[in-house]
């Protein structure tokens, strides 16, 4: 795979902007299938079912979905259009609560609608199409910049552990958490990467190993509970992860299991680097305690990937999709505007003021 081209359009507008086409990530790695979404229910389900997933990709998709639904909105009056688009905003925002990029992108799109003072359906749709494309273009540039900064923290030959999937499928082009690995590999560097499988939805097994293997990166799959032994025995130099929301104090929400990995990494003195666009930093959340954690259906743990249930039918499951890594366990937060180091309450504020 050439990281520069293969996934740069894993979300894009079709049918003159009135529909969105995505890779159905639930079918990977066994089938590379594109699906077309046209209705609000289909767009909502695509986010909720993780057909499109990863914080930046959800934001990009939401931008295109919002624009597509504007093309299909009732055209009785400007007031009715605005009311409908506000409903679209609120429904899509509710599809997943943790990744702040979803609300960030939809607020941006709603801002375009709110800024229109008169009825001109064609002009409004054009402005929305352009804004959605802009969100995606910005993400391409952000991923490249994050990858460059991230690569400056790594050394040729390094052993790396990554959790979940923060690659091209979750973003645009290079990705965030996987970006330095793809960029470094393009430049002839070698990394020995261990990918946590990432229970229960297996984004590490299904998506990260798929992306890294195709890009020619040396990747080995491990179960989540093997990270400690791997750090003890395999000369690991860094843990690289993406994230869904960073609080003002540097606490990080990312895929369930990240905080456990961070605790293990601290024990072995392995740095944990969190890579994310600055749009993932939410200064309105003082700490991780303010970040909502998505709870998902227990079937994902017990039945989804198995021929027979792995636990008695009546056993309840607790299935939080994300956890909070305390800022004290994070060695650096790498954004497109630079690398933030502790104390994060100062470095993140400085970054926000640079806007
Ligand atoms: O539930 P998912 O698959 O959307 O979770 C994705 C993650 O946790 C990623 O690490 C995060 O969104 C960053 S993607 C660049």
């Amino acid at each position: 795979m050439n990281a520069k081209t293969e996934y740069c359009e894993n979300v894009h507008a079709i049918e003159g902007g009135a529909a969105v086409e995505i890779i159905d990530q639930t079918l990977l790695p066994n089938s590379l299938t594109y699906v077309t979404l046209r209705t609000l229910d289909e767009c909502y389900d695509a986010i909720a079912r993780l057909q499109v997933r990863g914080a930046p990709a959800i934001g990009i998709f939401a931008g295109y979905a919002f624009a597509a639904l504007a093309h299909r909105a009732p055209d009785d009056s400007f007031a009715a259009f605005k009311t409908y688009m506000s409903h679209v905003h609120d429904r899509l925002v509710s599809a997943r609560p943790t990744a702040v990029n979803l609300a960030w992108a939809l607020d941006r799109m709603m801002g375009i609608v709110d800024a229109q003072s008169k009825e001109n359906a064609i002009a409004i749709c054009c402005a929305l199409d352009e804004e959605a494309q802009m969100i995606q273009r910005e993400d391409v540039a952000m991923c490249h910049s994050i990858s460059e900064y991230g690569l400056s923290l790594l050394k040729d030959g390094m052993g790396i552990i990554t959790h979940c999937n923060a690659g091209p499928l979750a973003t645009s082009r290079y990705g965030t958490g996987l970006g330095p690995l793809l960029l470094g590999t393009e430049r002839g560097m070698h990394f020995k990467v261990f990918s946590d499988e990432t229970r229960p939805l297996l984004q590490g097994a299904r998506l990260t190993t798929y992306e890294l293997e195709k890009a020619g990166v040396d990747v080995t799959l491990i179960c989540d509970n093997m990270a400690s032994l791997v750090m003890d025995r395999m000369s690991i130099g860094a843990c690289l992860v993406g994230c869904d929301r960073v609080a003002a104090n540097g606490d990080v929400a990312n895929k369930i299991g990240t905080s456990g990995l961070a605790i293990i990494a601290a024990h072995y003195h392995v740095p944990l680097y969190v890579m994310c666009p600055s749009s993932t930093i939410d200064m309105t959340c003082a700490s991780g305690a303010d970040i909502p954690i998505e709870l998902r259906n227990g079937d994902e743990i017990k039945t989804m990937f198995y021929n027979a249930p792995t636990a008695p039918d009546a056993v309840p499951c607790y299935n939080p999709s994300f956890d909070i890594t305390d800022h004290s366990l994070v060695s650096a937060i790498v954004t497109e505007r630079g690398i933030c180091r502790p104390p994060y309450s100062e470095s993140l504020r400085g970054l926000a003021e640079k806007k």
Side-chain angles (χ1 to χ4, degrees), residues 243-248 250-253 276 280-283 291 333 348:
C243 86
D244 286 75
R245 198 183 299 219
V246 180
D251 288 351
V252 165
C276 64
T280 304
I281 300 165
D282 184 354
M283 298 302 277
I291 301 177
I333 298 174
L348 292 176

Side-chain angles (χ1 to χ4, degrees), residues 6-17:
E6 176 135 338
Y7 293 122
C8 65
E9 290 181 343
N10 76 63
V11 176
H12 54 227
I14 57 169
E15 299 176 6

Side-chain angles (χ1 to χ4, degrees), residues 4-347:
K4 276 186 188 152
T5 54
E6 176 135 338
Y7 293 122
C8 65
E9 290 181 343
N10 76 63
V11 176
H12 54 227
I14 57 169
E15 299 176 6
V20 194
E21 189 179 62
I22 58 169
I23 293 173
D24 183 346
Q25 297 191 36
T26 64
L27 302 178
L28 286 170
N30 300 311
S31 162
L32 181 61
T33 302
Y34 287 83
V35 289
T36 300
L37 296 322
R38 296 186 181 87
T39 68
L40 180 53
D41 281 349
E42 286 171 352
C43 292
Y44 175 94
D45 284 350
I47 301 171
R49 290 185 48 235
L50 275 56
Q51 285 179 298
V52 58
R53 45 134 313 272
I58 296 171
I60 294 165
F61 172 76
Y64 280 122
F66 188 94
L69 292 161
H71 282 259
R72 295 169 179 276
D75 59 358
D76 358 343
S77 72
F78 189 44
F81 171 79
K82 274 194 161 180
T83 305
Y84 174 71
M85 293 317 295
S86 168
H87 166 66
V88 167
H89 170 281
D90 295 351
R91 179 100 199 285
L92 292 180
V93 157
S94 71
R96 295 193 79 189
T98 304
V100 72
N101 309 61
L102 178 59
W104 169 85
L106 286 166
D107 289 351
R108 236 172 109 160
M109 299 302 285
M110 197 62 213
I112 299 289
V113 173
D114 288 337
Q116 309 296 318
S117 54
K118 56 180 190 291
E119 195 157 342
N120 181 343
I122 294 174
I124 296 175
C125 284
C126 279
L128 290 172
D129 290 346
E130 272 166 28
E131 192 68 9
Q133 285 161 20
M134 180 98 77
I135 290 172
Q136 190 172 39
R137 275 200 302 273
E138 286 171 8
D139 194 66
V140 172
M142 283 186 300
C143 285
H144 191 266
S145 177
I146 289 167
S147 303
E148 288 282 10
Y149 280 119
L151 191 54
S152 73
L153 300 170
L154 307 182
K155 291 196 177 70
D156 196 15
M158 219 180 214
I160 307 276
I161 296 190
T162 185
H163 189 72
C164 195
N165 172 261
L169 285 162
T171 60
S172 305
R173 301 205 185 180
Y174 287 93
T176 56
L178 300 187
L181 305 176
L182 295 176
L183 192 63
T185 301
E186 278 183 6
R187 293 179 182 167
M189 293 170 76
H190 177 264
F191 303 105
K192 173 88 189 146
V193 181
F194 292 87
S195 170
D196 279 353
E197 64 174 351
T198 316
R199 287 269 294 152
L201 289 182
L202 308 178
Q203 289 92 332
R206 295 188 302 105
L207 309 175
T208 294
T209 64
Y210 174 80
E211 290 184 326
L212 292 182
E213 195 202 30
K214 277 184 181 295
V217 180
D218 175 355
V219 59
T220 300
L221 178 63
I222 57 172
C223 300
D224 300 346
N225 54 7
M226 297 171 185
S228 176
L229 183 79
V230 169
M231 277 194 235
D232 190 27
R233 300 282 171 93
M234 300 286 185
S235 159
I236 298 298
C239 296
L240 298 187
V241 293
C243 86
D244 286 75
R245 198 183 299 219
V246 180
N249 70 345
D251 288 351
V252 165
N254 191 47
K255 179 53 54 194
I256 191 75
T258 304
S259 68
L261 183 70
I263 291 165
I264 295 168
H267 176 80
Y268 290 105
H269 308 290
V270 172
L272 177 95
Y273 299 127
V274 173
M275 334 280 289
C276 64
S278 53
S279 56
T280 304
I281 300 165
D282 184 354
M283 298 302 277
T284 69
C285 287
S287 77
D290 301 312
I291 301 177
I293 299 291
E294 176 182 6
L295 286 179
R296 297 185 62 85
N297 195 305
D299 292 349
E300 291 177 350
I301 299 179
K302 269 202 290 201
T303 58
M304 194 157 171
F305 290 109
Y306 307 99
N307 292 330
T310 58
D313 229 20
V315 170
C317 290
Y318 173 55
N319 186 16
S321 193
F322 298 94
D323 63 20
I324 305 294
T325 299
D326 191 84
H327 58 275
S328 62
L329 300 169
V330 177
S331 307
I333 298 174
V334 181
T335 78
E336 78 282 6
R337 295 199 210 135
I339 300 176
C340 294
R341 297 278 190 180
Y344 292 112
S345 43
E346 284 171 26
S347 55

